[in-house]
């Protein structure tokens, strides 16, 4: 079991945000000196934050519950369902168009 950090999660997030806001114009050491930590500590926080962002991004792209193959199968099934529904809507629209044309003739 590791020791408890001296810095709060909020402090770490703020330090990482400050480094990212510099957009590569400042080094880890420069930003770290501003917030009172070592450059290596800040570098570790940035790496962990990047890994967490990538994991969240990966979870969203795979559906968080399964593999990419599962997500692909789900999307294909949904696509087939939507195409079927679209065909129904097109048929309904055509029927309504014909009915409107018929009734338009009757009104004249």
């Amino acid at each position: 079991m590791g020791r408890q950090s001296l810095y709060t999660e909020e402090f770490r997030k703020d330090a990482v945000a400050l480094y990212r806001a510099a957009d590569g114009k400042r080094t880890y050491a420069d930003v770290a000196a501003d917030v009172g930590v070592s450059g290596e500590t800040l570098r570790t926080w940035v790496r962990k934050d990047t890994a967490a962002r990538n994991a969240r991004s990966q979870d969203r792209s795979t559906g968080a519950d399964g593999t990419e193959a599962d997500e692909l199968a789900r999307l294909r099934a949904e696509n087939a369902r939507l195409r079927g529904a679209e065909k129904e809507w097109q048929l309904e629209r055509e029927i309504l168009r014909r009915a409107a044309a018929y009734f338009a003739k009757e009104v004249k």
Side-chain angles (χ1 to χ4, degrees):
M1 183 149 112
R3 66 178 177 83
Q4 186 164 345
S5 175
L6 300 173
Y7 308 103
T8 65
E9 184 67 26
E10 181 180 12
F11 178 82
R12 282 179 264 169
K13 286 182 179 182
D14 288 346
V16 169
L18 185 62
Y19 174 77
R20 290 191 195 281
D23 201 30
K25 294 180 180 115
R26 299 180 68 200
T27 65
Y28 288 113
D30 290 338
V31 176
D34 287 349
V35 296
V37 298
S38 73
E40 186 59 30
T41 298
L42 179 60
R43 184 169 135 325
T44 300
W45 293 347
V46 171
R47 282 185 172 180
K48 285 182 180 179
D49 183 66
T50 301
R53 285 178 179 210
N54 289 341
R56 286 190 303 269
S57 175
Q58 182 65 25
D59 285 347
R60 282 191 292 268
S61 68
T62 61
D65 301 312
T67 64
E68 287 184 35
D70 292 340
E71 180 70 1
L72 182 59
R74 185 190 67 75
L75 290 172
R76 284 183 173 159
E78 182 178 359
N79 193 20
R81 182 187 62 77
L82 291 172
R83 285 183 186 205
E86 182 183 15
K87 286 180 183 178
E88 276 184 48
W89 296 331
Q90 286 175 349
L91 179 60
E92 287 176 8
R93 190 173 67 203
E94 180 60 25
I95 291 169
L96 290 171
R97 186 192 63 75
R98 288 181 194 162
Y102 173 77
F103 289 115
K105 286 180 189 176
E106 292 291 318
V107 171
K108 286 184 181 179

